């Protein structure tokens, strides 16, 4: 098995720890940074991992940034406008789960990421083409394709994060990758209207041309997927020779474990509660943001530009706050407590906007803090409950359930707004966030009774992981010695 190791692998990753220490003394910074276990090398990987979904986040909210332009230029109703979000969400109700399963079982996370970015690019181009010809069917088809790529890409991105950073800075990485990706959303919110206004002086269909220009960000995401796939394949090739060899099994993939559909039925109650918290909480974030500019203009008297600016504050705040909160959760632990606090803060923010005339900047700042904390505390908990070979499937199912809720609510929100007005729409969001708070409390109770260690301190988790790793290493050594004898 070892005779095929190339020179790069031999130089970078000597077999014994003593040889490794001696070798690192001889290598310069450039050689050390090529080692996949090196901190700076992992920072390079993290850069491309963070921007992997940049195009997805930038283009997802193109309709929000150009809300008035869509309804005015294309002469469509609010219900028709919300179809652009429901057709994004509907396919991913099923395909996101199956996409995660296929990544786990068939194509792997590298090729899965590349395929998803291709779907993003094609979907955005079809969407822009539909806008150019004023075809709602083509626009929805484009959002359909875009949704297949966007949500499954998030599954692959989460899996990449766990594979590279589990047991190190996982919560920080989840926060940082959200932060960097949401820069795409923030740039979209603040750039698309100026782009539209600039184009309107030169072209007859500035809305469609603006969307074609936005497709360039999807091309950037595809480039990141290609580079990240190469880096991950290189690291896999190098690191597998550091592990104890057995009869052809790759120890870095859990000894060849393969996901089966029946494994989904074995997911525990804690995991299903996390899924439900996810869907009820994010309805109060994403669906709300998709319609919030109308609230700010009609209730608070903001201009379209001001409404777009205040609507972007959630994503803008997540850029600096998510990695900070992630680092705090890494050091503190207590994931369920953080989710409870964040859900309660989101509920309070919506309550202020529903029953007071307080400047919505304050409420949206609170909502941004809530959103940033949930991203760091909620999503990493999945990795604590399922083995690595089931990660894409678990994250895919989580995304599917979230998108089912968002697809249904995108339609209902448009209907509620058209028929009953803003106040009843705000009460709807308040109801979902109230359920999110109650589910978070229930998760804490179930976690304490079943001792699943989701709400333990970071110090306690590190102690458990160290003892588990030691036991697993001893078992692998014994198995290897038995095979040799």
């Amino acid at each position: 098995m070892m005779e095929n190791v190339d020179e790069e692998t031999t130089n970078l990753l000597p077999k014994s720890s003593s040889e490794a220490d001696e070798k690192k003394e001889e290598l310069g910074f450039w050689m050390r940074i090529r080692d996949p276990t090196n901190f700076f090398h992992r920072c390079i990987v993290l850069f491309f991992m963070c921007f992997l979904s940049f195009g997805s986040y930038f283009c997802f909210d193109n309709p929000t940034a150009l809300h008035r332009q869509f309804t005015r230029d294309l002469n469509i109703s609010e219900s028709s406008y919300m179809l652009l979000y429901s057709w994004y969400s509907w396919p991913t109700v099923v395909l996101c789960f199956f996409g995660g399963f296929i990544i786990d079982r068939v194509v792997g996370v590298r090729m899965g990421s590349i395929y998803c970015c291709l779907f993003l690019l094609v979907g955005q181009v079809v969407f822009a083409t539909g806008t150019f010809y004023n075809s709602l069917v083509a626009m929805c088809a484009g959002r359909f394709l875009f949704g297949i790529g966007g949500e499954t890409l998030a599954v692959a991105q989460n899996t990449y994060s766990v594979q590279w950073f589990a047991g190190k800075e996982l919560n920080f990485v989840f926060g940082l990758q959200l932060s960097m990706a949401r820069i795409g959303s923030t740039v979209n919110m603040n750039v698309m209207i100026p782009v539209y206004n600039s184009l309107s002086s030169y072209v007859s269909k500035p809305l469609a041309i603006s969307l074609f220009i936005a497709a360039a960000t999807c091309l950037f995401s595809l480039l990141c997927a290609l580079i990240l796939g190469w880096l991950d394949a290189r690291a896999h090739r190098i690191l597998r020779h550091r592990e104890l060899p057995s009869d052809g099994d790759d120890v870095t993939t859990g000894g060849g474990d393969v996901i089966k559909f029946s494994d989904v039925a074995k997911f525990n109650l804690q995991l299903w509660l996390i899924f439900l918290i996810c869907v009820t909480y994010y309805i109060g974030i994403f669906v709300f943001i998709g319609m919030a500019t109308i609230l700010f203009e009609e209730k608070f008297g903001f201009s379209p530009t001001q409404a777009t600016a205040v609507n972007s504050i959630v994503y803008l705040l997540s850029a600096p706050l998510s990695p900070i909160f992630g680092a705090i959760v890494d050091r503190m632990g207590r994931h369920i407590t953080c989710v409870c606090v964040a859900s309660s803060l989101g509920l309070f923010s919506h309550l202020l906007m529903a029953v007071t005339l307080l400047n919505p900047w304050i409420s949206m700042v609170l909502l941004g803090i809530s959103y940033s904390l949930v991203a760091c505390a909620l999503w990493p908990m999945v990795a604590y409950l399922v083995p690595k070979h089931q990660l894409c499937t678990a994250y895919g199912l989580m995304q599917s359930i979230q998108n089912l809720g968002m697809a249904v609510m995108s339609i209902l929100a448009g209907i509620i707004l058209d028929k009953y007005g803003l106040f009843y729409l705000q009460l709807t969001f308040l109801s979902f966030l109230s359920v999110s708070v109650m589910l978070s409390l229930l998760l804490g109770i179930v976690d304490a009774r079943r001792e699943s260690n989701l709400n333990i301190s970071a110090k306690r988790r590190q102690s458990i992981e160290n003892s588990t790793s030691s036991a697993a290493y001893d078992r692998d050594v014994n198995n290897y010695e038995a095979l040799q004898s």
Side-chain angles (χ1 to χ4, degrees):
M1 176 178 177
M2 297 296 291
E3 62 270 14
N4 296 326
V5 181
D6 59 27
E7 182 180 355
E8 179 185 35
T9 302
T10 305
N11 288 338
L12 289 176
L13 299 171
K15 298 176 187 177
S16 69
S17 59
S18 60
E19 290 176 2
D21 292 338
E22 293 175 2
K23 196 72 177 178
K24 285 185 178 181
E25 291 296 327
E26 301 172 5
L27 298 175
F29 175 78
W30 172 244
M31 288 297 292
R32 291 199 303 271
I33 203 174
R34 295 168 62 193
D35 183 345
T37 62
N38 182 272
F39 172 77
F40 293 103
H41 184 91
R42 289 190 293 117
C43 286
I44 295 172
V45 172
L46 181 58
F47 173 85
F48 292 106
M49 195 181 296
C50 287
F51 282 103
L52 183 63
S53 59
F54 182 87
S56 174
Y57 281 103
F58 184 94
C59 294
F60 171 75
D61 275 325
N62 281 169
T64 298
L66 299 168
H67 189 160
R68 288 294 186 189
Q69 288 76 11
F70 269 95
T71 56
R72 183 189 64 218
D73 293 5
L74 304 180
N75 193 27
I76 58 176
S77 67
E78 290 294 335
S79 298
S80 297
Y81 164 80
M82 288 308 296
L83 286 175
L84 300 178
Y85 282 98
S86 61
W87 275 100
Y88 173 96
S89 299
W90 276 115
T92 58
V93 169
V94 176
L95 294 178
C96 199
F97 165 69
F98 283 104
F101 183 86
I102 290 170
I103 289 175
D104 269 335
R105 190 177 178 94
V106 183
V107 300
V109 68
R110 300 168 205 145
M111 290 306 302
S113 300
I114 293 170
Y115 291 148
C116 289
C117 289
L118 286 172
F119 269 105
L120 286 179
L121 181 59
V122 172
Q124 180 67 11
V125 170
V126 172
F127 176 49
T129 303
T131 305
F132 186 86
Y133 290 105
N134 200 359
S135 170
L136 184 61
V137 173
M139 291 164 61
C140 290
R143 295 291 282 182
F144 182 100
L145 294 172
F146 189 84
I148 293 174
E151 296 303 311
T152 310
L153 181 62
V155 172
Q157 185 182 39
N158 291 337
T159 304
Y160 262 136
S161 299
V162 174
Q163 288 181 353
W164 277 86
F165 296 97
K168 300 179 180 70
E169 310 91 1
L170 184 59
N171 300 286
F172 170 77
V173 167
F174 267 88
L176 185 61
Q177 74 180 21
L178 172 69
S179 168
M180 301 305 292
R182 281 305 182 187
I183 288 177
S185 297
T186 304
V187 173
N188 161 70
M189 291 288 191
N190 292 280
V191 163
M192 290 306 291
I193 287 182
V195 169
Y196 173 92
N197 291 336
S198 298
L199 291 171
S200 61
S201 302
Y202 302 99
V203 297
S204 60
K205 296 185 177 181
L207 182 60
I209 303 303
S210 298
L211 296 176
F212 277 118
I213 293 174
T217 61
C218 298
L219 192 61
F220 173 68
S221 287
L222 177 60
L223 177 63
C224 289
L226 291 169
I227 295 174
L228 186 58
W230 176 78
L231 288 171
D232 189 67
R234 175 181 175 276
H236 177 79
R237 173 174 53 83
I238 293 173
L239 291 177
R240 67 179 178 176
H241 298 295
R242 204 179 234 184
E243 303 290 343
L244 291 169
S246 58
D247 288 343
D249 287 337
D250 181 4
V251 280
T252 64
T253 60
D257 291 332
V258 178
I259 181 71
K260 302 184 292 291
F261 276 115
S262 58
D263 292 337
V264 175
K266 300 176 184 178
F267 286 167
N268 58 31
L269 177 59
Q270 299 94 302
L271 192 59
W272 289 103
L273 286 173
I274 290 173
F275 294 165
L276 293 176
I277 293 169
C278 176
V279 63
T280 53
Y281 177 81
Y282 283 117
I283 283 174
I285 300 294
F286 295 135
V287 180
F288 168 73
I289 288 177
M291 309 190 75
T293 53
I294 302 297
L295 171 69
F296 301 139
E297 291 177 26
E298 295 188 4
K299 181 175 180 177
F300 297 98
F302 284 14
S303 68
T305 303
Q306 291 173 325
T308 301
V310 70
N311 200 29
S312 68
I313 194 63
V314 172
Y315 297 155
L316 184 63
L317 278 177
S318 71
L321 290 183
S322 293
I324 294 174
F325 286 152
I328 292 173
V329 176
D330 274 325
R331 295 183 64 85
M332 181 183 69
R334 310 294 181 188
H335 289 72
I336 298 177
T337 300
C338 292
V339 172
C340 286
V341 171
S343 298
S344 300
L345 190 59
L347 176 62
F348 180 66
S349 171
H350 273 277
L351 187 63
L352 288 178
M353 286 185 282
V355 301
T356 74
L357 292 175
L358 188 67
N359 192 310
W361 280 96
I362 298 173
S363 300
M364 293 300 283
V365 166
L366 295 177
L367 196 63
I369 294 172
S370 168
Y371 172 72
S372 302
L373 183 55
V374 164
C376 306
L378 182 67
W379 292 86
M381 284 195 286
V382 175
Y384 300 142
L385 294 172
V386 297
K388 286 186 177 181
H389 70 281
Q390 298 178 0
L391 272 175
C392 277
T393 303
Y395 278 122
L397 183 57
M398 187 174 182
Q399 293 279 159
S400 292
I401 294 173
Q402 174 187 328
N403 289 322
L404 173 61
M406 289 178 60
V408 172
M409 277 309 303
S410 292
I411 296 174
L412 292 179
I415 295 173
I416 292 171
L417 181 59
D418 285 337
K419 291 188 175 181
Y420 302 104
L422 285 168
F423 181 70
Y424 284 95
L425 182 60
Q426 290 176 282
L427 290 181
T428 303
F429 292 132
L430 282 170
S431 300
F432 277 101
L433 284 165
S434 298
V435 173
S436 175
V437 172
M438 290 186 287
L439 289 172
S440 301
L441 295 172
L442 179 59
L443 177 61
I445 295 172
V446 174
D447 173 67
R449 291 186 176 180
R450 298 194 176 187
E451 298 182 346
S452 49
N453 298 327
L454 296 177
N455 206 38
I456 59 176
S457 66
K459 184 177 181 180
R460 172 62 177 159
R461 184 176 302 282
Q462 187 63 49
S463 175
I464 293 173
E465 290 177 353
N466 289 341
S467 61
T468 302
S469 298
S470 178
Y473 179 80
D474 291 340
R475 183 179 65 252
D476 288 342
V477 170
N478 292 334
N479 291 340
Y480 175 66
E481 291 176 347
L483 286 171
Q484 295 301 307
S485 64

Coordinates of all heavy atoms in Angstrom, one line a residue, residues 53 224 290 338 443:
S53 N -20.2 29.5 -1.1 CA -21.7 29.8 -1.3 C -21.9 31.3 -1.6 O -23.0 31.8 -1.5 CB -22.4 29.3 -0.1 OG -22.0 30.0 1.1
C224 N -14.3 28.5 -6.8 CA -14.0 28.1 -5.4 C -14.2 26.6 -5.2 O -13.4 26.0 -4.5 CB -14.8 28.9 -4.4 SG -14.4 30.7 -4.3
G290 N -37.7 38.5 3.0 CA -38.2 38.5 1.6 C -39.3 39.5 1.4 O -39.6 39.9 0.3
C338 N -27.5 28.8 24.1 CA -27.3 29.8 23.1 C -28.5 29.9 22.1 O -28.9 31.0 21.7 CB -26.0 29.6 22.3 SG -24.5 29.8 23.3
L443 N -35.8 20.7 23.7 CA -34.5 20.1 23.4 C -33.6 20.0 24.6 O -32.9 19.0 24.8 CB -33.9 20.8 22.2 CG -32.5 20.3 21.8 CD1 -32.6 18.9 21.3 CD2 -31.9 21.2 20.7

